[in-house]
């Protein structure tokens, strides 16, 4: 905690209305959706946590081109891969400064030691930091890096080499994901010697555009600009996150200038935002999919006829029209449109209650059955109103004799329950972390992903998994695409999900805000300013 005059100053400014603080063009206020789980993105799993940590405080080896969604240099300036696809060598950027805080002032620039530390903390169960903050490195494990990486070594201060167990076409893109943020090894060593290793996660030091100043749980986060940011001057000195879970309150604060940026306005707010000359509504193409997962380990969802029937029983077009209001399109595949391997010719389950009844009868369930339908407690671009979607599915299923009981839980409990397989059916979704189809096809539906918990359907089809494993091992895009198309056909036949929607990402700003952007990597505040 801050002490003396510094603490008093921070507390006094915290009591000021945000609109008064925002009158200074040197301060930008973002109304965030929730408090972060952690300021270490290696052990976080939610979007608000990543925005508050990796996207403000850190950088990664690669970034993504916002137009092509392909990897571009960041902390690594270039990379080479061996002919067999199993050895990757990264050249690191020189002259990159870490931020400092009240606990530590760096004595050196970013180098290979920081990359090694950031990887091995997640990979090695015996690493001294592996269990700090009760770390659970879900993303690192979900994308399979714990098994894929057999060795990572420092060639010199500015060259790092990874050896893989097999070729993997998605490996480079993985290093642009939030969990791949680079932490300071020097800071970690100092805090371990002092007996306070948790400071690395609670009071982070990164190379990003901002440094953490203050955090009040469920209230606000204060950041100050990095004066030595390697990617150019940060135009706004002070950044504040005003933690505002309620979507209506966020818009009210935007209108009164208590914040200048809000994420995820609801579709019903689009027209009021457009009608206000002081506000601007923004949208970007998003790589995501929203779906209802059947727990295929539970009866009767272990029966493919039941899963096919309930696909036919859902009027997906009506859901898109009623809930998304132009912010989404009907999904049919686990891979989003405009992504490598998406099968535009894939068949769909059109709304057909009579066919649904016939399949249920064939499955011996002509009298129907009862099941729980889990509804997400949060809104996402692929699911802007989970309760409404759940109610529409509940109504559709009732017409074919299936009684669905809608239940919901706090978000952390919801995620935990799905990972443990406690649900019958559950609304869920995924937003791309790295622009590669493996991030959907493998992470969400492979046999291995049942154990890691990201396969909400708990569906294991060996032919499907073999195809997506092959797709990872070939580098030619057209060869990868062929295998993903074949895998999607199996997905269609086996119906582990009801694919629902691909949504666009929306956010709103005061009209005098420029430079802020949202892309595959999330929110970029590094060039944002009030004019």
């Amino acid at each position: 905690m801050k002490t003396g005059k510094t603490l008093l100053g921070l507390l006094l400014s915290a009591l000021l209305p945000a609109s008064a603080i925002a009158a200074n063009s040197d301060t930008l206020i973002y109304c965030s959706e929730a408090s972060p789980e952690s300021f270490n993105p290696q052990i976080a799993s939610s979007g608000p946590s990543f925005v508050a940590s990796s996207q403000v405080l850190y950088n990664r080896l690669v970034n993504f081109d916002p137009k092509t969604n392909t990897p571009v240099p960041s902390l690594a300036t270039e990379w080479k891969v061996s002919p067999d696809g199993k050895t990757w060598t990264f050249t690191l950027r020189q002259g990159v400064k870490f931020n400092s805080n009240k606990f530590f002032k760096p004595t050196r620039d970013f180098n290979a030691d920081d990359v090694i530390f950031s990887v091995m903390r997640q990979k090695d169960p015996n690493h001294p930091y592996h269990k700090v903050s009760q770390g659970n490195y879900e993303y690192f494990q979900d994308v399979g890096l714990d098994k894929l990486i057999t060795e990572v070594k420092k060639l010199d201060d500015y060259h790092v080499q990874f050896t893989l167990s097999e070729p993997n076409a998605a490996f480079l893109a993985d290093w642009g994901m939030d969990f791949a943020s680079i932490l300071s090894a020097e800071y970690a060593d100092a805090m371990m010697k002092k007996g306070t290793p948790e400071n690395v996660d609670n009071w982070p030091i990164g190379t990003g555009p901002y440094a953490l100043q203050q955090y009040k749980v469920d209230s606000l986060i204060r950041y100050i600009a990095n004066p030595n940011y390697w990617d150019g001057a940060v135009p706004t000195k002070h950044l504040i996150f005003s933690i505002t879970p309620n979507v209506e309150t966020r818009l009210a604060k935007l209108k009164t200038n208590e914040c200048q940026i809000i994420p995820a306005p609801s579709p019903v707010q689009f027209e009021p935002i457009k009608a206000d000359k002081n506000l601007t509504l923004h949208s970007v193409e998003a790589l995501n999919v929203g779906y209802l997962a059947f727990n295929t380990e539970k009866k009767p969802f272990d029966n493919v006829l039941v899963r096919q029937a309930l696909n036919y029983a859902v009027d997906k077009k009506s859901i898109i029209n009623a809930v998304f209001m132009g912010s989404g399109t009907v999904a049919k595949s686990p891979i989003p449109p405009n992504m490598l391997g998406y099968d535009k010719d894939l068949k769909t389950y059109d709304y057909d209650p009579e066919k649904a009844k016939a399949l249920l009868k064939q499955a011996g369930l002509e009298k129907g059955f009862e099941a729980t339908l889990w509804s997400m407690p949060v809104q996402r671009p692929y699911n802007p109103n989970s309760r409404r979607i759940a109610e529409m599915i509940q109504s559709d299923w009732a017409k074919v004799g299936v009684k669905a009981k809608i239940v919901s839980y706090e978000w952390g409990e919801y995620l935990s329950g799905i990972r443990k397989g406690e649900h019958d059916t559950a609304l869920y979704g995924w937003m791309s972390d790295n622009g590669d189809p493996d991030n959907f096809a493998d992470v969400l539906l492979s046999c291995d992903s049942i154990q890691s918990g990201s396969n909400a359907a708990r569906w294991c089809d060996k032919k499907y998994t073999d195809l997506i494993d092959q797709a990872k091992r070939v580098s030619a895009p057209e060869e990868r695409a062929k295998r993903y198309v074949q895998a999607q056909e199996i997905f269609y036949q086996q119906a582990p999900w009801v694919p629902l929607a691909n949504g666009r990402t929306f956010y709103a700003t005061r009209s005098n805000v420029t430079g802020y952007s949202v892309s595959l990597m999330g929110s970029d505040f590094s060039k944002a300013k009030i004019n």
Side-chain angles (χ1 to χ4, degrees):
M1 295 292 292
K2 297 287 183 185
T3 57
K5 293 181 180 179
T6 303
L7 175 60
L8 178 61
L10 286 172
L11 289 176
L12 286 173
S13 61
L15 295 174
L16 289 172
S19 56
I21 301 171
N24 182 350
S25 63
D26 222 10
T27 301
L28 184 68
I29 301 178
Y30 172 83
C31 276
S32 63
E33 298 170 89
S35 293
E37 307 156 82
S38 169
F39 283 106
N40 180 354
Q42 297 175 332
I43 57 178
S45 61
S46 70
S49 298
F50 292 145
V51 176
S53 60
S54 58
Q55 296 165 29
V56 176
L57 302 169
Y58 295 103
N59 300 115
R60 288 142 293 282
L61 292 180
V62 300
N63 208 334
F64 294 101
D65 183 296
K67 294 182 179 178
T68 64
N69 292 325
T70 54
V72 294
S74 183
L75 292 181
T77 57
E78 62 180 8
W79 44 85
K80 296 178 181 178
V81 60
S82 61
D84 66 359
K86 294 169 66 173
T87 303
W88 289 78
T89 305
F90 291 85
T91 300
L92 306 182
R93 190 177 299 277
Q94 300 187 33
V96 175
K97 309 292 183 185
F98 278 98
N99 280 299
S100 60
N101 64 19
K102 59 185 178 180
F103 299 111
F104 183 73
K105 185 175 182 179
T107 65
R108 63 164 176 80
D109 292 349
F110 155 75
N111 68 25
D113 292 331
D114 305 306
V115 178
I116 302 296
F117 168 75
S118 300
V119 175
M120 295 309 294
R121 173 179 178 171
Q122 299 179 82
K123 175 176 170 55
D124 182 4
N126 297 315
H127 191 281
Y129 265 87
H130 189 77
K131 295 181 181 178
V132 171
S133 302
Q134 297 180 331
N136 183 8
Y137 307 97
E138 292 179 2
Y139 271 76
F140 189 84
Q141 294 165 0
D142 282 349
V143 299
L145 292 178
D146 53 333
K147 298 181 179 66
L148 181 65
I149 298 170
T150 60
E151 183 183 29
V152 54
K153 64 181 179 181
K154 172 182 176 179
L155 301 182
D156 57 42
D157 278 351
Y158 294 100
H159 291 88
V160 173
Q161 187 174 88
F162 291 83
T163 303
L164 311 184
S165 59
E166 62 183 14
N168 187 297
F171 179 74
L172 178 61
D174 288 341
W175 292 104
M177 294 170 67
D178 294 280
F179 77 84
S181 295
I182 303 301
L183 282 60
S184 167
E186 186 188 22
Y187 179 37
D189 289 344
M191 292 303 99
M192 185 63 75
K193 289 175 183 175
K194 287 186 176 181
T196 56
E198 66 279 358
N199 283 346
V200 170
D201 301 332
N202 298 333
W203 287 96
I205 286 179
T207 61
Y210 284 92
L212 179 66
Q213 269 194 314
Q214 182 196 26
Y215 175 42
K216 296 179 70 176
V217 179
D218 296 333
S219 177
L220 61 85
I221 312 170
R222 293 177 181 274
Y223 306 89
I224 190 165
N226 179 352
N228 303 302
Y229 189 44
W230 63 270
D231 198 25
V234 180
T236 303
K237 185 175 181 180
H238 300 284
L239 175 64
I240 297 173
F241 277 30
S242 176
I243 299 167
T244 313
N246 184 275
V247 65
E248 294 178 358
T249 306
R250 288 201 297 272
L251 180 56
K253 285 185 175 183
L254 186 69
K255 287 184 173 182
T256 57
N257 201 28
E258 291 178 69
C259 57
Q260 291 76 53
I261 305 171
I262 63 170
S266 68
V268 297
Q269 295 175 330
F270 293 168
E271 289 307 317
I273 292 171
K274 292 176 183 177
D276 190 328
K277 62 181 177 59
N278 295 313
L279 310 181
T280 303
L281 180 68
H282 308 263
S283 72
V284 293
E285 290 289 346
L287 298 174
N288 63 42
V289 62
Y291 56 92
L292 180 108
F294 300 114
N295 187 340
T296 61
E297 291 182 345
K298 288 187 175 182
K299 292 185 178 298
F301 305 108
D302 59 340
N303 188 330
V304 66
L305 295 175
V306 173
R307 302 195 299 265
Q308 290 173 345
L310 294 186
N311 263 276
Y312 281 120
V314 176
D315 188 350
K316 294 183 277 292
K317 290 182 179 178
S318 291
I319 290 174
I320 294 296
N321 292 336
V323 178
F324 286 80
M325 300 171 143
S327 66
T329 56
V330 173
K332 61 179 180 178
S333 165
I335 297 175
N338 302 320
M339 180 174 269
L340 175 70
Y342 175 74
D343 183 4
K344 61 182 178 57
D345 298 319
L346 187 67
K347 289 178 285 188
T348 60
Y349 291 91
D350 295 326
Y351 182 51
D352 192 336
E354 294 308 312
K355 188 173 287 188
K357 290 177 183 177
L359 286 169
L360 288 173
K361 183 176 182 179
Q362 190 177 340
L365 293 167
E366 62 268 29
K367 294 183 179 179
F369 60 91
E370 297 181 3
T372 58
L373 196 169
W374 286 30
S375 173
M376 295 165 53
V378 296
Q379 63 184 57
R380 292 289 184 266
Y382 54 74
N383 191 328
N385 189 333
S386 184
R387 182 73 190 189
R388 179 66 177 131
I389 291 176
E391 289 171 348
M392 293 183 74
I393 293 173
Q394 180 188 51
S395 176
D396 286 342
W397 284 357
K399 295 171 186 174
V400 299
V402 175
K403 296 180 181 179
K405 179 184 178 182
I406 298 173
V407 296
S408 191
Y409 304 93
E410 179 272 328
W411 188 225
E413 189 178 354
Y414 192 92
L415 295 173
S416 175
I418 285 179
R419 287 183 175 274
K420 294 175 183 176
E422 296 172 353
H423 58 294
D424 292 338
T425 69
L427 288 168
Y428 212 35
W430 192 257
M431 300 181 69
S432 178
D433 296 300
N434 64 13
D436 193 277
D438 182 68
N439 191 227
F440 288 84
D442 185 357
V443 171
L444 302 183
L445 288 163
S446 72
C447 295
D448 288 344
S449 295
I450 296 174
Q451 185 172 356
S452 68
S454 57
N455 183 341
R458 306 185 73 81
W459 173 69
C460 177
D461 186 286
K462 189 175 186 305
K463 289 183 179 179
Y464 174 93
T465 296
D466 285 348
L467 282 165
I468 59 174
D469 283 346
Q470 292 170 27
K472 284 188 288 187
R473 290 194 291 268
V474 296
S475 57
E478 62 276 11
E479 290 301 318
R480 297 189 73 201
K482 287 179 184 178
R483 289 163 174 80
Y484 287 123
V485 167
Q486 291 175 290
Q488 286 165 88
E489 179 59 32
I490 295 173
F491 168 86
Y492 166 77
Q493 294 292 344
Q494 291 297 310
W497 297 353
V498 177
L500 293 171
N502 303 117
R504 291 178 65 85
T505 294
F506 287 82
Y507 63 97
T509 66
R510 299 286 298 181
S511 297
N512 60 347
V513 172
T514 60
Y516 172 75
S517 63
V518 174
S519 66
L520 180 62
M521 267 311 300
S523 295
D524 184 358
F525 296 90
S526 66
K527 302 294 186 290
K529 62 180 180 178
I530 300 174
N531 296 306

